[in-house]
Amino acid sequence: MIKRKIEFFRHNLSSQDKKECLKVLGSIFLTTGELVRQFEQKFAQYLKANYAVGISSCTDALFLTLKYIGVGRQDEVITTVLSYAATSNAIEYCGAKPIFIDVEPDTGNINADLIERAITPRTKAILVVHLYGLMCNMKKIRQIADKYHLKVIEDAAHCIEGKRDGVRVGELADFACFSFYATKTITSGEGGAITTNSKRAYDWFIKARLHGMSKNAADRYVKRYQHNDMEFLGYKCNMSNIAASLLVHQLDRIDIYLRRRESLARIYTQGFSKNTAIQMPEVLSNCVHARYLYTIWVDPKKRDEIVNKIQDKGIGVAVHFFPLHFLSYYRKKYGYKRGDFPVAERIGDKTISLPLYPRLSAKEIKYVIDTVNELTNYD
Ligand SMILES: *Cc1c(COP(=O)(O)O)cnc(C)c1O
């Protein structure tokens, strides 16, 4: 057996990113300051949003956004059942109830046709996830939200770079939340952001990420000492200059990385095209897919065995996702059972995510394709 190690993910920090980070480490301000401001400006510009706010994680970005729109006890937030736990956990932190919606069989995204019937007088918002990097049908979701006067939040942890029908991420929502966690397409290990076009929301987020204080440490340093008032009970989830220094130049390379992932995805799709034991989620032609994850669908009865065997061959793989209603916390709290969200369950049972990142070499991807083809041709 060939001894190889193809990690599930490798980051792309360049010498420029590291230099920028060293500059911060040699400066006074490790925490929120000039670098965060620079990153926010560039990030907002990339997404054509009026404002961006650097946050410590996407989870906190979602929580802060839900708090801003006043989600609390007795409230309901409509969301997809096929996501990472962060999405629905943010709703739980507010004391509200996530109302799970089943997904589209071809894409795994929230099924917009099922949203309207889930709306009740308690519904405050619709929180969608652009699964794997393919945008949800935001035009339709915005229409439904407007009809019932609901807010729309995009969990865009998988999709900074995507478009659908010419619409960008965050463009039709009230807020979009992003992640720069260790395995995302640009990363600072941990990190997040919120984009919005609302000045009022922006002003609130800037304070709410730092306890509701009116001035941050850098403000107080560059100006004369000023007393710092706390205007309301905020939280502690500001982005640091260290994180921003790693992100600020990655943002310049984000579309180069996307093109590289696009070409790798094409190689995968071509490599599996003759294997009848493998299907993949649909890539809609009206979309720019952010290509965050490349997932394949195999026989649900053999999925776990295939996952183990791929790993034995030295290839890192993952499962995105085990549907949220199957997680013990949600199952116990709300009494969910198998059969409640059949489409998401089916995807959860058959899905495998393969390595997809710019530094994956031609040799490596060929090895992954050959290995997966060999392991799935079981009859
Ligand atoms: C990674 C991820 C998050 C959480 O991001 P953090 O920055 O780690 O909080 C949220 N939602 C989805 C869909 C994710 O994949």
Side-chain angles (χ1 to χ4, degrees), residues 4-5 31 72 90 132 221 255 264 267 277 289 320 331 360 378:
R4 259 181 212 269
K5 183 70 197 153
T31 182
Y132 309 144
Y221 179 76
D255 287 325
L264 291 168
I267 295 171
H289 195 303
H320 299 94
R331 209 164 22 82
L360 188 68
Y378 26 72

PDB file of all heavy atoms in Angstrom, residues 4-5 31 72 90 132 221 255 264 267 277 289 320 331 360 378:
ATOM      1  N   ARG A   4       0.568   7.580   1.930  1.00  0.00           N
ATOM      2  CA  ARG A   4       0.309   8.946   1.524  1.00  0.00           C
ATOM      3  C   ARG A   4      -0.490   9.643   2.582  1.00  0.00           C
ATOM      4  O   ARG A   4      -1.184   9.008   3.367  1.00  0.00           O
ATOM      5  CB  ARG A   4      -0.575   8.949   0.276  1.00  0.00           C
ATOM      6  CG  ARG A   4       0.150   9.193  -0.999  1.00  0.00           C
ATOM      7  CD  ARG A   4      -0.905   9.170  -2.091  1.00  0.00           C
ATOM      8  NE  ARG A   4      -0.365   8.662  -3.324  1.00  0.00           N
ATOM      9  CZ  ARG A   4       0.180   9.445  -4.254  1.00  0.00           C
ATOM     10  NH1 ARG A   4       0.271  10.733  -4.075  1.00  0.00           N
ATOM     11  NH2 ARG A   4       0.632   8.926  -5.368  1.00  0.00           N
ATOM     12  N   LYS A   5      -0.410  10.968   2.585  1.00  0.00           N
ATOM     13  CA  LYS A   5      -1.303  11.704   3.472  1.00  0.00           C
ATOM     14  C   LYS A   5      -1.855  12.888   2.689  1.00  0.00           C
ATOM     15  O   LYS A   5      -1.108  13.808   2.335  1.00  0.00           O
ATOM     16  CB  LYS A   5      -0.543  12.174   4.732  1.00  0.00           C
ATOM     17  CG  LYS A   5      -1.411  12.881   5.742  1.00  0.00           C
ATOM     18  CD  LYS A   5      -2.388  11.937   6.442  1.00  0.00           C
ATOM     19  CE  LYS A   5      -3.505  12.734   7.108  1.00  0.00           C
ATOM     20  NZ  LYS A   5      -4.762  12.013   7.248  1.00  0.00           N
ATOM     21  N   THR A  31      -5.299  43.663  19.707  1.00  0.00           N
ATOM     22  CA  THR A  31      -6.753  43.498  19.623  1.00  0.00           C
ATOM     23  C   THR A  31      -7.357  44.463  18.598  1.00  0.00           C
ATOM     24  O   THR A  31      -6.645  45.016  17.762  1.00  0.00           O
ATOM     25  CB  THR A  31      -7.379  43.639  21.027  1.00  0.00           C
ATOM     26  OG1 THR A  31      -8.787  43.432  20.917  1.00  0.00           O
ATOM     27  CG2 THR A  31      -7.111  45.006  21.648  1.00  0.00           C
ATOM     28  N   GLY A  72     -36.087  36.520  20.879  1.00  0.00           N
ATOM     29  CA  GLY A  72     -36.024  36.137  22.282  1.00  0.00           C
ATOM     30  C   GLY A  72     -36.938  34.962  22.587  1.00  0.00           C
ATOM     31  O   GLY A  72     -37.377  34.254  21.668  1.00  0.00           O
ATOM     32  N   ALA A  90     -27.267  29.201  17.512  1.00  0.00           N
ATOM     33  CA  ALA A  90     -27.389  30.659  17.687  1.00  0.00           C
ATOM     34  C   ALA A  90     -28.824  31.026  18.042  1.00  0.00           C
ATOM     35  O   ALA A  90     -29.060  31.942  18.838  1.00  0.00           O
ATOM     36  CB  ALA A  90     -26.931  31.378  16.420  1.00  0.00           C
ATOM     37  N   TYR A 132     -22.599  24.137   1.030  1.00  0.00           N
ATOM     38  CA  TYR A 132     -21.417  23.773   0.222  1.00  0.00           C
ATOM     39  C   TYR A 132     -20.903  24.931  -0.640  1.00  0.00           C
ATOM     40  O   TYR A 132     -19.902  24.790  -1.334  1.00  0.00           O
ATOM     41  CB  TYR A 132     -21.700  22.571  -0.696  1.00  0.00           C
ATOM     42  CG  TYR A 132     -22.294  21.366  -0.006  1.00  0.00           C
ATOM     43  CD1 TYR A 132     -23.238  20.570  -0.659  1.00  0.00           C
ATOM     44  CD2 TYR A 132     -21.942  21.024   1.292  1.00  0.00           C
ATOM     45  CE1 TYR A 132     -23.799  19.460  -0.042  1.00  0.00           C
ATOM     46  CE2 TYR A 132     -22.503  19.921   1.925  1.00  0.00           C
ATOM     47  CZ  TYR A 132     -23.434  19.148   1.259  1.00  0.00           C
ATOM     48  OH  TYR A 132     -23.988  18.062   1.866  1.00  0.00           O
ATOM     49  N   TYR A 221      -6.664  55.005  22.833  1.00  0.00           N
ATOM     50  CA  TYR A 221      -5.220  55.173  22.754  1.00  0.00           C
ATOM     51  C   TYR A 221      -4.834  56.345  21.861  1.00  0.00           C
ATOM     52  O   TYR A 221      -3.994  57.165  22.226  1.00  0.00           O
ATOM     53  CB  TYR A 221      -4.571  53.888  22.229  1.00  0.00           C
ATOM     54  CG  TYR A 221      -3.078  53.978  22.102  1.00  0.00           C
ATOM     55  CD1 TYR A 221      -2.273  53.902  23.247  1.00  0.00           C
ATOM     56  CD2 TYR A 221      -2.471  54.138  20.865  1.00  0.00           C
ATOM     57  CE1 TYR A 221      -0.900  53.980  23.135  1.00  0.00           C
ATOM     58  CE2 TYR A 221      -1.105  54.216  20.747  1.00  0.00           C
ATOM     59  CZ  TYR A 221      -0.307  54.141  21.881  1.00  0.00           C
ATOM     60  OH  TYR A 221       1.039  54.215  21.770  1.00  0.00           O
ATOM     61  N   ASP A 255     -10.591  35.334  -5.241  1.00  0.00           N
ATOM     62  CA  ASP A 255     -11.130  34.872  -6.526  1.00  0.00           C
ATOM     63  C   ASP A 255     -10.150  33.980  -7.286  1.00  0.00           C
ATOM     64  O   ASP A 255     -10.563  33.131  -8.073  1.00  0.00           O
ATOM     65  CB  ASP A 255     -11.569  36.063  -7.385  1.00  0.00           C
ATOM     66  CG  ASP A 255     -12.864  36.671  -6.843  1.00  0.00           C
ATOM     67  OD1 ASP A 255     -13.705  35.900  -6.333  1.00  0.00           O
ATOM     68  OD2 ASP A 255     -13.022  37.898  -6.913  1.00  0.00           O
ATOM     69  N   LEU A 264     -10.487  22.260  -9.829  1.00  0.00           N
ATOM     70  CA  LEU A 264     -10.389  20.970  -9.134  1.00  0.00           C
ATOM     71  C   LEU A 264     -11.747  20.261  -9.115  1.00  0.00           C
ATOM     72  O   LEU A 264     -11.830  19.048  -9.325  1.00  0.00           O
ATOM     73  CB  LEU A 264      -9.882  21.174  -7.700  1.00  0.00           C
ATOM     74  CG  LEU A 264      -8.426  21.621  -7.555  1.00  0.00           C
ATOM     75  CD1 LEU A 264      -8.144  22.080  -6.128  1.00  0.00           C
ATOM     76  CD2 LEU A 264      -7.460  20.506  -7.953  1.00  0.00           C
ATOM     77  N   ILE A 267     -12.349  18.582 -12.291  1.00  0.00           N
ATOM     78  CA  ILE A 267     -11.561  17.339 -12.401  1.00  0.00           C
ATOM     79  C   ILE A 267     -12.254  16.202 -11.645  1.00  0.00           C
ATOM     80  O   ILE A 267     -12.365  15.082 -12.140  1.00  0.00           O
ATOM     81  CB  ILE A 267     -10.116  17.569 -11.893  1.00  0.00           C
ATOM     82  CG1 ILE A 267      -9.391  18.571 -12.800  1.00  0.00           C
ATOM     83  CG2 ILE A 267      -9.341  16.248 -11.816  1.00  0.00           C
ATOM     84  CD1 ILE A 267      -8.033  19.036 -12.277  1.00  0.00           C
ATOM     85  N   ALA A 277     -22.027   4.462  -9.350  1.00  0.00           N
ATOM     86  CA  ALA A 277     -22.244   4.361  -7.903  1.00  0.00           C
ATOM     87  C   ALA A 277     -22.089   5.713  -7.200  1.00  0.00           C
ATOM     88  O   ALA A 277     -22.261   5.801  -5.987  1.00  0.00           O
ATOM     89  CB  ALA A 277     -21.269   3.354  -7.303  1.00  0.00           C
ATOM     90  N   HIS A 289     -20.888  28.981  -8.070  1.00  0.00           N
ATOM     91  CA  HIS A 289     -20.773  28.133  -6.875  1.00  0.00           C
ATOM     92  C   HIS A 289     -19.467  28.494  -6.172  1.00  0.00           C
ATOM     93  O   HIS A 289     -18.427  28.570  -6.819  1.00  0.00           O
ATOM     94  CB  HIS A 289     -20.754  26.678  -7.342  1.00  0.00           C
ATOM     95  CG  HIS A 289     -20.990  25.665  -6.255  1.00  0.00           C
ATOM     96  ND1 HIS A 289     -20.213  25.579  -5.129  1.00  0.00           N
ATOM     97  CD2 HIS A 289     -21.917  24.681  -6.146  1.00  0.00           C
ATOM     98  CE1 HIS A 289     -20.663  24.579  -4.367  1.00  0.00           C
ATOM     99  NE2 HIS A 289     -21.700  24.025  -4.962  1.00  0.00           N
ATOM    100  N   HIS A 320     -20.792  16.123   5.725  1.00  0.00           N
ATOM    101  CA  HIS A 320     -21.518  17.392   5.883  1.00  0.00           C
ATOM    102  C   HIS A 320     -22.928  17.249   5.331  1.00  0.00           C
ATOM    103  O   HIS A 320     -23.100  17.310   4.142  1.00  0.00           O
ATOM    104  CB  HIS A 320     -20.819  18.519   5.146  1.00  0.00           C
ATOM    105  CG  HIS A 320     -19.439  18.806   5.626  1.00  0.00           C
ATOM    106  ND1 HIS A 320     -18.323  18.251   5.048  1.00  0.00           N
ATOM    107  CD2 HIS A 320     -19.010  19.585   6.638  1.00  0.00           C
ATOM    108  CE1 HIS A 320     -17.250  18.699   5.678  1.00  0.00           C
ATOM    109  NE2 HIS A 320     -17.633  19.497   6.651  1.00  0.00           N
ATOM    110  N   ARG A 331     -32.848  16.288  19.460  1.00  0.00           N
ATOM    111  CA  ARG A 331     -33.734  15.137  19.474  1.00  0.00           C
ATOM    112  C   ARG A 331     -34.463  15.073  20.813  1.00  0.00           C
ATOM    113  O   ARG A 331     -35.671  14.923  20.883  1.00  0.00           O
ATOM    114  CB  ARG A 331     -32.911  13.868  19.230  1.00  0.00           C
ATOM    115  CG  ARG A 331     -33.679  12.770  18.557  1.00  0.00           C
ATOM    116  CD  ARG A 331     -32.789  11.662  17.963  1.00  0.00           C
ATOM    117  NE  ARG A 331     -31.454  11.535  18.527  1.00  0.00           N
ATOM    118  CZ  ARG A 331     -31.170  10.879  19.651  1.00  0.00           C
ATOM    119  NH1 ARG A 331     -32.121  10.271  20.331  1.00  0.00           N
ATOM    120  NH2 ARG A 331     -29.918  10.825  20.079  1.00  0.00           N
ATOM    121  N   LEU A 360      -4.189  21.463  -3.329  1.00  0.00           N
ATOM    122  CA  LEU A 360      -4.337  20.057  -3.692  1.00  0.00           C
ATOM    123  C   LEU A 360      -3.727  19.890  -5.094  1.00  0.00           C
ATOM    124  O   LEU A 360      -4.150  20.536  -6.040  1.00  0.00           O
ATOM    125  CB  LEU A 360      -5.829  19.695  -3.708  1.00  0.00           C
ATOM    126  CG  LEU A 360      -6.213  18.238  -3.882  1.00  0.00           C
ATOM    127  CD1 LEU A 360      -5.816  17.415  -2.651  1.00  0.00           C
ATOM    128  CD2 LEU A 360      -7.719  18.108  -4.108  1.00  0.00           C
ATOM    129  N   TYR A 378     -18.592  -1.451  -6.187  1.00  0.00           N
ATOM    130  CA  TYR A 378     -18.724  -2.659  -5.360  1.00  0.00           C
ATOM    131  C   TYR A 378     -19.466  -3.774  -6.042  1.00  0.00           C
ATOM    132  O   TYR A 378     -19.614  -4.830  -5.501  1.00  0.00           O
ATOM    133  CB  TYR A 378     -19.357  -2.347  -4.011  1.00  0.00           C
ATOM    134  CG  TYR A 378     -20.244  -1.139  -3.962  1.00  0.00           C
ATOM    135  CD1 TYR A 378     -21.491  -1.145  -4.561  1.00  0.00           C
ATOM    136  CD2 TYR A 378     -19.798   0.024  -3.309  1.00  0.00           C
ATOM    137  CE1 TYR A 378     -22.292  -0.024  -4.504  1.00  0.00           C
ATOM    138  CE2 TYR A 378     -20.605   1.142  -3.256  1.00  0.00           C
ATOM    139  CZ  TYR A 378     -21.854   1.117  -3.855  1.00  0.00           C
ATOM    140  OH  TYR A 378     -22.618   2.218  -3.790  1.00  0.00           O
TER     141      TYR A 378
END
